Amino acid sequence: MKLLIVEDEPALITSLVSYLQGQHYVCEVASTFADAQEKMLLYDYDCILLDLTLPGGDGLDLLRELQRQRKANGVIITSARNAVEDRITGLHLGADDYLPKPFYLPELSARVAALVRRRHYNGSNLIQAHALTVDVLARTASVAEKPLTLTRTEFDLLLLLLANQGRVIAKGAIAEHLSGDAAEQFDTYETVYAHVKNLKRKLTEVGAADYIRTVYGIGYRFEPGAAA
């Protein structure tokens, strides 16, 4: 799962990135209004943690821009601006939640997880696709009750595919989702090919069908209709 942290306090940024990466999230950071606007419009995120008071602009204007562009990113406002009017405006502009500063990092993580469940997995921790069962919270997977041993990146790739069942995901989108800003350092998608190949192999080894289909020249699609 990929997050964008829009925040300008260096100490808080360090704490957020350290904690959330420990919770298996890929984290990108934008510390100014302009940086946040560029990232939010160019890329997709499972959740954006949005401070309202930013160098160069107001976070509520970023929400307005997301609304104009019909971007479907989940948004949790994290702000010291505790006015009721700001909360109401933010929620009307499409924010999913509002967590006033100061907050506890475990509570923030729980709210992020809840938002991701609501938006991608119908509010459940368990995802079922024929013989495949994935527990999002426990980060475990099995096929017909046979455990599926995955690396962190392979599990994140599986979640991405499951959240977009039936839709083609471009190789570039997969690379950016799994690696965040680091994806721009690579000229090829060899890492994506390797992760997909390993995930397909591990699924097959425990008896799963060929759920992951290659769309040549574009990317990959998870076919929920494939039967084991």
Side-chain angles (χ1 to χ4, degrees), residues 12-211:
L12 182 54
I13 291 172
T14 300
S15 295
L16 288 170
V17 171
S18 176
Y19 186 85
L20 292 169
Q21 285 182 340
Q23 300 295 305
H24 307 289
Y25 293 106
V26 174
C27 297
E28 296 183 17
V29 175
S31 55
T32 67
F33 181 94
D35 287 345
Q37 184 178 44
E38 180 179 18
K39 286 181 177 291
M40 290 165 70
L41 296 182
L42 285 177
Y43 306 113
D44 293 320
Y45 299 93
D46 295 291
C47 182
I48 298 170
L49 304 178
L50 177 63
D51 189 14
L52 297 184
T53 306
L54 297 166
D58 190 319
L60 291 175
D61 288 331
L62 292 173
L63 282 173
R64 293 185 179 95
E65 185 64 24
L66 284 176
Q67 196 174 60
R68 282 194 293 269
Q69 298 293 330
R70 299 178 184 271
K71 295 281 284 185
N73 301 293
V75 178
I76 298 176
I77 296 174
T78 58
S79 178
R81 280 164 47 178
N82 206 17
V84 174
E85 292 80 4
D86 284 336
R87 295 191 191 193
I88 293 172
T89 301
L91 293 170
H92 279 314
L93 289 173
D96 298 271
D97 203 349
Y98 195 115
L99 185 61
K101 294 178 181 178
F103 50 77
Y104 290 105
L105 292 175
E107 179 182 3
L108 174 65
S109 179
R111 293 193 184 213
V112 171
L115 185 153
V116 171
R117 286 197 303 271
R118 289 196 305 271
R119 296 180 70 88
H120 293 313
Y121 311 121
N122 298 317
S124 175
N125 286 325
L126 290 178
I127 308 169
Q128 191 80 37
H130 293 285
L132 174 65
T133 301
V134 176
D135 188 321
V136 178
L137 197 59
R139 292 183 66 83
T140 60
S142 62
V143 175
E145 300 185 356
K146 297 176 183 177
L148 185 60
T149 303
L150 302 175
T151 66
R152 170 179 169 170
T153 301
E154 289 163 359
F155 189 84
D156 289 341
L157 173 60
L158 180 59
L159 285 183
L160 176 64
L161 292 167
L162 285 168
N164 294 274
Q165 294 184 42
R167 293 195 289 268
V168 178
I169 309 175
K171 296 187 291 290
I174 294 174
E176 206 273 330
H177 184 92
L178 296 178
S179 304
D181 291 330
E184 298 177 359
Q185 302 172 12
F186 301 101
D187 295 327
T188 68
Y189 297 116
E190 292 180 6
T191 301
V192 172
Y193 299 146
H195 288 312
V196 171
K197 180 181 178 181
N198 289 337
L199 178 57
K200 286 167 67 76
R201 174 179 56 79
K202 289 181 178 181
L203 283 166
T204 301
E205 286 176 349
V206 292
D210 185 15
Y211 294 123

